[in-house]
């Protein structure tokens, strides 16, 4: 998926201007799958600190190389098609960012009351680029509960926040200084002093949305027309992987034996067998010593179980 993300930039961004931020444990894999990536364009995080830190590091680095530039932030866990439509949207957003100085995000037209995504309340159109509307962002709502998500879906004025962003380098750096000043200054100083390894431990774990976008006043959204999935939930896998005639999907290398069962997702390691009998629309995940079973329409609520495990961990040992 990392290689596919880079390939989608063909004819829009030159290879020498692609920068990858990844964890230190994945750095060699990134080099392997992106052999054309210049060595100095791989930024290796010693610790995961959510997206504000990695966006800020890349922005500072790009600012030192090309301060008068426009940059795009593109997560590598997205399935997008067709690439041509994506590039059109990317270039439209780049034009708007370059001329207006606004912070741009891509908005996904919602198809369900998803509680695992951030939502954007979109305002009126403020511009049009390459035949695509650019809308004012009224507010961000991070992972609403189901009743609110259902209300957002029904309103017709809300979009899913894709987590893809486009902005002028000077605009994001100024926004970081204004809204996340301590994080920006710690990173800038660490890069000057060569102490990035130790500095990361003191950085807050916060998303760029919460750190900057929710506070900034000059934020706009481009609704996209390409097909998108962030494969961020079990329920998203059937849209990206093969399914059988009954709509069942096996992932992770698992074998699936399904009898009188439809619309299920099973994940396990290679060679592991999941057998289903007379069940419908379930997610069944076996990983290590843990097995998760839940309805597909509740898959995004798995974070509630994670929170309980974090709180009550000794009880489950």
């Amino acid at each position: 998926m990392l290689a596919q993300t880079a390939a989608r930039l063909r004819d829009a961004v030159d290879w020498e201007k692609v920068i990858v931020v990844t964890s230190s444990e994945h750095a060699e894999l990134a080099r392997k799958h992106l052999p054309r990536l210049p060595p100095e364009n791989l930024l290796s995080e010693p610790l995961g600190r959510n997206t504000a830190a990695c966006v800020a590091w890349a922005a500072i680095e790009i600012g030192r190389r090309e301060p008068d530039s426009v940059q795009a932030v593109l997560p590598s866990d997205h399935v997008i098609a067709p690439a041509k439509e994506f590039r059109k949207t990317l270039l439209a957003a780049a034009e708007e960012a370059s001329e207006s100085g606004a912070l741009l995000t891509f908005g996904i037209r919602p198809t369900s009351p998803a509680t695992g995504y951030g939502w954007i309340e979109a305002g009126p159109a403020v511009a049009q680029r390459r035949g695509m509307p650019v809308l004012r962002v009224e507010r961000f709502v991070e992972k609403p509960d189901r009743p609110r998500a259902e209300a957002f879906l029904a309103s017709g004025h809300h979009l899913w926040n894709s987590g893809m962003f486009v902005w002028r380098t000077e605009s994001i750096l100024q926004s970081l200084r204004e809204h996340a000043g301590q994080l920006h200054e710690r990173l800038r100083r660490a890069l000057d002093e060569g102490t990035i390894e130790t500095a990361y431990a003191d950085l807050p774990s916060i998303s760029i949305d919460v750190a900057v976008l929710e506070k900034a006043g000059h934020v706009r959204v481009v609704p996209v027309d390409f097909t998108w999935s962030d494969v961020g939930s079990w329920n998203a896998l059937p849209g990206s992987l093969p399914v059988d005639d009954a709509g069942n999907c096996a992932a992770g290398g698992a074998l699936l034996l399904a009898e009188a069962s439809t619309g299920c997702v099973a994940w396990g390691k290679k060679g592991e067998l999941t057998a289903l009998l007379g069940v419908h629309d379930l997610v069944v995940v076996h990983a290590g010593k843990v097995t998760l079973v839940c309805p597909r329409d509740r898959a995004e609520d798995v974070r509630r179980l994670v929170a309980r495990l974090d709180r009550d961990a000794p009880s489950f040992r």
Side-chain angles (χ1 to χ4, degrees):
M1 295 183 76
L2 176 63
Q4 290 173 357
T5 302
R8 279 195 293 272
L9 297 173
R10 189 179 297 118
D11 300 325
V13 180
D14 295 333
W15 260 109
E16 62 269 19
K17 296 187 178 181
V18 173
I19 288 182
V20 174
V21 186
T22 189
S23 67
S24 56
E25 62 185 301
H26 293 135
E28 287 305 317
L29 276 173
R31 290 189 182 96
K32 176 182 177 181
H33 290 283
L34 297 176
R36 296 176 60 192
L37 185 74
E40 65 274 16
N41 287 13
L42 183 68
L43 309 183
S44 179
E45 291 187 294
L47 295 170
R49 283 295 181 261
N50 213 314
T51 55
C54 64
V55 167
W57 186 1
I60 292 169
E61 182 64 30
I62 294 169
R64 292 177 173 181
R65 299 184 193 184
E66 294 193 43
D68 188 22
S69 58
V70 173
Q71 57 182 262
V73 177
L74 305 172
S76 63
D77 60 347
H78 293 179
V79 175
I80 291 173
K84 182 178 180 180
E85 189 66 29
F86 164 78
R87 286 190 290 271
K88 174 185 174 183
T89 306
L90 181 67
L91 293 173
E95 287 181 4
E96 176 64 21
S98 178
E99 294 192 22
S100 71
L103 307 179
L104 274 290
T105 182
F106 294 169
I108 310 300
R109 304 179 198 276
T111 57
S112 66
T115 59
Y117 297 145
W119 289 67
I120 297 168
E121 182 180 347
V126 295
Q128 189 150 346
R129 300 288 179 181
R130 301 193 177 212
M132 307 182 69
V134 179
L135 312 180
R136 187 175 68 212
V137 170
E138 302 293 351
R139 63 171 175 153
F140 291 88
V141 180
E142 184 63 19
K143 296 181 175 63
D145 58 24
R146 191 170 185 86
R148 289 190 80 193
E150 289 174 345
F152 291 164
L153 180 65
S155 76
H157 300 298
H158 291 76
L159 302 162
W160 290 337
N161 184 3
S162 69
M164 295 183 282
F165 308 105
V166 179
W167 38 53
R168 287 172 60 177
T169 297
E170 63 181 32
S171 295
I172 187 59
L173 288 174
Q174 177 57 36
S175 295
L176 284 163
R177 285 191 289 265
E178 183 176 350
H179 303 295
Q182 287 189 344
L183 182 147
H184 174 269
E185 181 57 24
R186 286 177 184 173
L187 271 175
R188 188 198 61 77
R189 190 183 309 119
L191 291 171
D192 287 341
E193 298 171 352
T195 57
I196 197 73
E197 293 284 335
T198 54
Y200 247 74
D202 295 326
L203 295 179
S205 181
I206 186 171
S207 71
I208 190 66
D209 308 72
V210 174
V212 172
L213 291 170
E214 291 182 3
K215 302 171 184 176
H218 203 30
V219 185
R220 298 177 180 179
V221 59
V222 180
V224 306
D225 292 318
F226 49 77
T227 301
W228 173 91
S229 173
D230 76 343
V231 202
S233 71
W234 301 111
N235 199 28
L237 288 177
S240 304
L241 296 176
V243 298
D244 64 18
D245 292 341
N248 300 305
C249 173
L255 302 173
L256 176 61
L257 177 63
E259 179 68 26
S261 299
T262 60
C264 295
V265 177
W267 190 95
K269 291 183 178 180
K270 185 176 181 180
E272 293 181 344
L273 173 66
T274 298
L276 304 175
L277 175 62
V279 294
H280 309 281
D281 299 318
L282 289 183
V283 172
V284 182
V285 178
H286 180 67
K289 297 180 180 180
V290 179
T291 300
L292 166 73
V293 180
C294 71
R296 278 183 58 178
D297 63 3
R298 296 289 302 278
E300 291 174 340
D301 293 337
V302 70
R303 64 180 183 270
R304 294 168 59 181
L305 291 176
V306 174
R308 284 195 60 189
L309 285 170
D310 289 342
R311 185 180 69 243
D312 305 329
S315 302
F316 297 98
R317 289 175 181 167

